[in-house]
Amino acid sequence: MKAHVSESDGVVLIDVQEPGVCALALETDEAIDLAHQLLAAVVEASKVAPFDPRFIRS
């Protein structure tokens, strides 16, 4: 994904170029909420699956 983030008159502007064109204008609290959700998803996605010895082949 390619996006450009900027600020204008106290509003956060997000202009997504790829994979599809999309534009968002977020109030400050909306931008903070989006950032929180994105960080939470990154933390969840980066967790390593627990070791399970049943999946080891000898």
Side-chain angles (χ1 to χ4, degrees), residues 7-51:
E7 179 276 331
S8 177
D9 298 323
V11 177
V12 176
L13 304 173
I14 304 172
D15 185 17
V16 178
Q17 299 298 316
E18 292 179 18
V21 177
C22 176
L24 296 172
L26 303 173
E27 298 292 330
T28 307
D29 59 333
E30 295 172 320
I32 291 170
D33 183 55
L34 177 59
H36 174 74
Q37 291 180 49
L38 287 168
L39 288 171
V42 168
V43 168
E44 218 27 62
S46 64
K47 286 184 179 175
V48 177
F51 175 73

